[in-house]
Amino acid sequence: MADLRIFSYLPNPRVWKATIAARFCGVDVEVRGAPPKELRDWLWDYDARPLAEQERQSLSSLARTGRVGLTGVKLFKTDAFLRAQPFGNVPAAFGPDGKIGIFESNSIMRAVARLGEATFPLYGRDAWEASRIDSFLDVSLLFARDSQIYLLSLLDGAVDAAIHARAKQAFAIYASGLEQALSAQRKTLVGEQISLADICFAAELALFMNEQARAAQLNERGLDRILHDGVRNEYPLVFAHFDRLIDHEHFRPDLKPYVEKLLSK
């Protein structure tokens, strides 16, 4: 039995925060899931699994209306799932007994780090380092909220100048702070070793690169890519750090092929 089980749509860089952390810490993480459009045919539960047509009919009483990312879609969520995951979203993580739910990708990543803290101090070596890591994670959440709105609007064709401007400002604030944090020849954001702050940064920037595939849509609306061709010159330390991280042995299995595929479009 795995130390932690995660159910989510896939591929999902925010789930990879936990799997990257698990490689550092030697924690056994099991990931279950499928592409977003297929999750409507899954049982949302600790024992998440695809449902046959006959099962979907017999379990119609469990049907709930989806929200963020699956708005209006009928989803089969068990009562046990909603007790463990009160907001009903994915990624959804569970402890080994399936009763303790952990939600939000940074919290799931923290859980992995706590389970494996004796193997690798991803959450810092003391209260001060842990608190500084928390600071970077909190800032990442602010960026992640606007980036998610932006990426979902690109996905459903609803992007407009206001959404684009808000995401552009959020990225500029986030990247400027990271550039400053890395300016003293630093190879990591906190302390001398890779921490949760670095993992979160790499996953969020990789996710934001989905913008690349929607360049034509942006062009039709008279909007430019936020991650335009010259952005690496504006934030050289940020992108050099990103390049180092995705080449790292614990990041590479998840992030390297994902980023290469996005940048090839």
Side-chain angles (χ1 to χ4, degrees), residues 11-17 20 143 147 151 171 174 178 198-213 227 232 238-239 242-243 245-246 251-252 254-263 265:
N12 184 349
R14 288 177 176 158
V15 167
W16 295 336
K17 295 177 185 177
I20 292 167
F143 167 61
S147 75
L151 293 175
F171 174 74
Y174 185 52
L178 295 176
D198 301 291
I199 296 174
C200 181
F201 152 67
E204 292 296 340
L205 183 54
L207 181 64
F208 199 58
M209 288 179 173
N210 275 281
E211 178 200 48
Q212 176 82 13
L227 298 182
R232 283 179 171 266
V238 168
F239 281 91
F242 180 75
D243 291 342
L245 290 176
I246 65 170
F251 290 69
R252 190 187 310 126
D254 294 322
L255 289 182
K256 187 82 172 183
Y258 182 81
V259 169
E260 287 180 344
K261 183 177 180 180
L262 289 176
L263 296 182
K265 293 182 178 178

Side-chain angles (χ1 to χ4, degrees), residues 64-170:
R64 331 265 179 170
T65 302
R67 291 178 292 183
V68 180
L70 291 166
T71 305
V73 176
K74 186 169 66 173
L75 303 170
F76 297 90
K77 301 179 182 180
T78 66
D79 292 339
F81 177 85
L82 291 173
R83 282 195 295 273
Q85 306 288 339
F87 297 96
N89 298 325
V90 291
F94 300 87
D97 65 359
K99 295 180 180 177
I100 296 179
I102 304 153
F103 37 93
E104 298 299 333
S105 61
N106 286 352
S107 293
I108 297 170
M109 175 179 65
R110 283 189 182 99
V112 174
R114 289 179 175 122
L115 289 170
E117 63 182 353
T119 301
F120 193 97
L122 275 176
Y123 206 177
R125 294 172 299 177
D126 54 36
W128 298 110
E129 278 196 359
S131 298
R132 186 164 170 84
I133 290 168
D134 280 337
S135 299
F136 280 103
L137 299 185
D138 287 349
V139 169
S140 295
L141 278 180
L142 297 176
F143 167 61
R145 176 172 174 76
D146 285 326
S147 75
Q148 178 158 306
I149 293 171
Y150 178 55
L151 293 175
L152 287 174
S153 73
L154 287 171
L155 194 62
D156 64 17
V159 68
D160 59 23
I163 294 173
H164 179 271
R166 187 169 174 176
K168 186 175 183 178
Q169 182 182 40

